[in-house]
Amino acid sequence: MTRESLDAVLRHAVILGTLAVLLVPAARGSSEWLGWLPLWLVGMPLAAWWSLRGCPLPRVAVALPRRRRVQALRNRRGRASTRLARAA
C-alpha cells in the first residue's frame, strides 16, 4: 500500500467515522469490547492520519514565542559566572 493510498483510506475513515458519530446515536456510546466508540471511529483514525503526515504542528503553535522558565534562566546565568571564574 502506497503512502497516497493510505492517506486516502485514512481520510475516508475519518469522514465516515465522523458521520457515523454525528448521525447514529449508538455510535456515540460505549461498547463492552472496544470501549468508547467515538475514540475508535474518529480519534484513532485522526491520530493515524496526523502521524502519516509527519505530525505537523498547527501554524498558531509555531508562531507563538517560546517561554523561558525561571530555572533555565538561572542555569544560563550560572554557566556564565563559572566561565568567568575559569577564565580568571
Side-chain angles (χ1 to χ4, degrees):
M1 183 175 267
T2 65
R3 191 176 193 90
E4 291 79 23
S5 63
L6 185 58
D7 186 77
V9 167
L10 287 171
R11 187 176 345 109
H12 289 296
V14 168
I15 292 168
L16 291 175
T18 304
L19 285 174
V21 169
L22 290 174
L23 299 175
V24 180
R28 295 179 214 137
S30 181
S31 166
E32 205 171 298
W33 286 4
L34 295 174
W36 194 50
L37 291 176
L39 172 74
W40 295 104
L41 294 172
V42 179
M44 291 301 172
L46 266 176
W49 194 26
W50 181 63
S51 67
L52 179 70
R53 293 185 162 257
C55 303
L57 292 176
R59 288 188 183 115
V60 173
V62 175
L64 292 176
R66 299 182 86 192
R67 284 188 344 179
R68 294 278 183 188
R69 295 190 179 194
V70 176
Q71 184 176 358
L73 291 175
R74 260 189 256 134
N75 287 340
R76 291 178 81 194
R77 288 183 197 136
R79 281 189 235 136
S81 63
T82 56
R83 283 186 209 138
L84 293 174
R86 288 181 192 163

